[in-house]
Amino acid sequence: MADLSVPLQWNPVPEGLEGMASPDGVAASASAPSHEPTEPPAFDLQLTLQEDLPFCWPAPPLACFSRARPQDEALACEVVGLNGSRVQGQMLKFAPSEARATVQVPPSRTSMPLKFEQFCCLRLTTPLRPDSSASSDGSADQRFDRTVTPYKVTLKQGTPLEGQTVGFVEVDFGVFLYPPHIENGTRLTDVSVQRLFVPRTAFSHFEIGARIGEVLVAQQSATAEQVEEAAQEQQRLRQQKIGDLLLQKQVVTPQQLLEALERQSHMPPMRLGEALVSLRLVSDDQLNDALGQQKADRDTPLGELLVRMGVVSRTDLQSALARKMGYPVVDVDSFPVELDALNRVPYATAARLQALPLMLREGRMVVAMANPAILSAAADELEFSASTKVIPVLAKARSMNDSLWAAYQKVGAAPDERIDGTGLDSSFGNIDTDSLMEALEKEGSDAEGPEEKAIEQSDNSLVRLINSIIIDAAKQGVSDIHIESDPGREKIRVRFRKDGLMRTHLELPPTYRSAMAARIKIMCDLDISEKRKPQDGKINFSKFSAKHKLELRVATIPTNNGLEDVVMRILASAKPLPVAKLGLSELNLKWLMQAVERPYGMVLCVGPTGSGKTTTLHSALSHIN
């Protein structure tokens, strides 16, 4: 009997419900116990979950016991807390729909609602006896003895529950066990049982019947050493994470990939920094260092910053993404790539990002990427290019460039020479705007007739040209880039604004007219099909050239004959100028300081484009700060 002078201490709510796991060692699972199957139960399992109906505590799965009956009176019970303390009282109500049991503990006259997550088990101490008619001939005793089997419930907290039970009933919210009724250390002569409930939140797994390993040893089907070796292997596999298995067993079929993505969707969300710290690939100080740098350079992904700092390698990043975040690892050399997916992304884009489209499913495109450091940034750009949602996975290949070229060769979209996949930055150092212009003029002179073939927005030479124009403008200190189109055979003019003056930077063949506007719209995620309305957007140029941290504000303006002009403003990223260096007169500077230093009011800063409004406001805000 419990000592009622010891108060029942309820621990805080335990961690989230864990799934049913395999038992320790080599043992029979709860759903397939090792003992002989019993006769079909002669009762209806009425696990009532409605709030307005009393709960029917299930009877043991033995024919001699009557069917489950609703609880119509208080039942004597014993409750075991999470810390092992025991209290006896009266169970007034058992409500699985609310995940709680209402208990009254003498001498108190008030009831105490206990959530399932607040106790280890609840035992009804009044023995349950079989029907007298079913047990009068002694056959019930024989059936009872045959069905008594050992059980073990591994609790999340405290020592495990062990004993014998006459079968069990497993439900969503826990498991019901039926230990034989014991008094004074011996089992009674009749076949009475107690009823024991263990909530699902309290245990990790349970075993019914003898362990398979013990049975094999008893039957001399295996040695104790073999059973121990198998148990150790089972424990190793149980502790192995999904990500470890993904790294070892790479995905090679669409079905495997869909199953891996389904597993990933059920994994708890985790940030990359947390994953790297938990794997001890970076320290807290190194992570905080990288996060501090990222505040000043928000356009660079955290993984790329850590790689540049030399803290981790790209292999470490891939390991963290797979082990802790569940990203599938796909063997792109063996995976059957779908042609519809390849047609969504140009070869030049795929080679630059080192990304291979694998398949389309439910309006989404699964893409394998070789560089885990820019996973999210590359996925964003691919979404712009493919006009669909992208699901990134990790790529494993002997040579990603060879795999990309071989895949695109099947659809006739790969050039004769392979792109090295190092990105656009490498081409900037070798081919300048003048060289590109010579090539474009040669193409224009080779074209015959008025119906020349229009250039596509994904053409590699056009992509390189636009990036070269932006980089040239940044190097020359230009504030605006104007791209102006005229109808007919007139060339496209690209003009730079510097210090308020406009000058022509270059002229392009008319075949690039539509493609240039479309390419710039893609870079700032605008609608390329809309040509009759003006649009505004921004370009984060570091996505296209990691060496150049530029941001551009873009405006497109429809003109006559269905054409469009584009204006790109290069936003200043340098530190604000001191107010004293703005070039204001002494009187104007005095008035400005008086205005901005007031605690209330409004300062209007007006003027034409390029007159210095933004520079003045940045300087004033810097002065206030």
Side-chain angles (χ1 to χ4, degrees), residues 35 50 53 79 153 199 201 230 243 256 263 275-276 334 348 375-376 414 420 444 449 457 477 489 505 587 607 618:
H35 57 273
Q50 289 83 353
L53 294 178
V79 184
V153 181
T201 53
Q256 289 177 338
R263 288 196 298 269
L276 292 169
S334 305
L375 205 65
S376 57
D420 62 1
Q457 53 85 12
R489 300 288 301 159
H505 177 63
L587 181 61
H618 282 183

Side-chain angles (χ1 to χ4, degrees), residues 370-389:
N371 185 0
I374 59 169
L375 205 65
S376 57
D380 290 342
E381 185 176 348
L382 287 169
E383 287 181 358
F384 300 155
S385 179
S387 299
T388 187
K389 182 69 177 176

Side-chain angles (χ1 to χ4, degrees), residues 123 264 345 367-368 541 559 609 621:
R123 182 192 305 269
Q264 183 194 10
V345 180
V367 182
F541 194 63
T559 59
T609 300
L621 289 173

Side-chain angles (χ1 to χ4, degrees), residues 468-481 496 505 570:
S468 296
I469 291 173
I470 293 174
I471 291 174
D472 286 348
K475 288 179 178 178
Q476 297 176 27
V478 170
S479 62
D480 300 270
I481 304 172
F496 288 172
H505 177 63
I570 300 178

Side-chain angles (χ1 to χ4, degrees), residues 219-457:
Q219 295 177 349
Q220 298 183 350
S221 299
T223 65
E225 290 77 10
Q226 291 172 331
V227 171
E228 180 63 23
E229 183 180 353
Q232 292 176 358
E233 177 65 14
Q234 185 188 46
Q235 184 68 16
R236 185 189 66 81
L237 292 175
R238 186 182 300 123
Q239 294 175 349
Q240 196 166 17
K241 305 298 183 182
I242 291 177
D244 297 334
L245 296 175
L246 290 174
L247 285 175
Q248 293 177 7
K249 186 178 181 181
Q250 295 165 10
V251 175
V252 294
T253 66
Q255 183 60 32
Q256 289 177 338
L257 181 54
L258 292 175
E259 292 174 357
L261 290 172
E262 176 66 18
R263 288 196 298 269
Q264 183 194 10
S265 66
H266 291 91
M267 293 190 68
M270 179 178 287
R271 296 178 181 273
L272 177 60
E274 296 174 358
L276 292 169
V277 171
S278 63
L279 291 173
R280 298 182 180 178
L281 295 174
V282 300
S283 64
D284 291 333
D285 293 339
Q286 290 172 329
L287 178 60
N288 292 332
D289 223 3
L291 291 173
Q293 291 190 30
Q294 194 181 35
K295 289 181 180 179
D297 185 11
R298 294 185 179 276
D299 298 331
T300 304
L302 176 62
E304 185 67 24
L305 276 175
L306 290 169
V307 171
R308 293 179 187 176
M309 292 167 60
V311 176
V312 297
S313 65
R314 301 192 191 279
T315 304
D316 293 335
L317 290 177
Q318 188 177 73
S319 176
L321 290 170
R323 293 187 180 186
K324 291 296 183 179
M325 303 169 74
Y327 279 89
V329 181
V330 179
D331 184 355
V332 295
D333 294 327
S334 305
F335 193 91
V337 179
E338 294 182 1
L339 303 184
D340 291 342
L342 290 174
N343 290 327
R344 288 292 189 101
V345 180
Y347 172 68
T349 302
R352 175 168 56 84
L353 298 176
Q354 293 286 276
L356 177 62
L358 299 177
M359 61 184 186
L360 292 168
R361 288 294 185 276
E362 300 178 356
R364 299 184 177 188
M365 183 170 64
V366 183
V367 182
M369 301 185 188
N371 185 0
I374 59 169
L375 205 65
S376 57
D380 290 342
E381 185 176 348
L382 287 169
E383 287 181 358
F384 300 155
S385 179
S387 299
T388 187
K389 182 69 177 176
V390 167
I391 302 176
V393 299
L394 300 173
K396 198 73 173 180
R398 290 185 295 272
S399 172
M400 193 64 181
N401 294 322
D402 293 343
S403 300
L404 283 167
W405 189 80
Y408 276 90
Q409 276 284 88
K410 295 178 182 178
V411 295
D416 295 335
E417 296 183 2
R418 307 181 191 186
I419 298 177
D420 62 1
T422 57
L424 292 177
D425 293 340
S426 61
S427 64
F428 293 145
N430 301 324
I431 302 178
D432 56 14
T433 307
D434 294 336
S435 302
L436 287 170
M437 278 302 304
E438 291 179 6
L440 293 173
E441 290 175 358
K442 183 179 180 181
E443 291 178 8
S445 62
D446 291 342
E448 296 181 359
E451 297 183 357
E452 301 172 5
K453 183 179 179 180
I455 302 299
E456 296 293 333
Q457 53 85 12

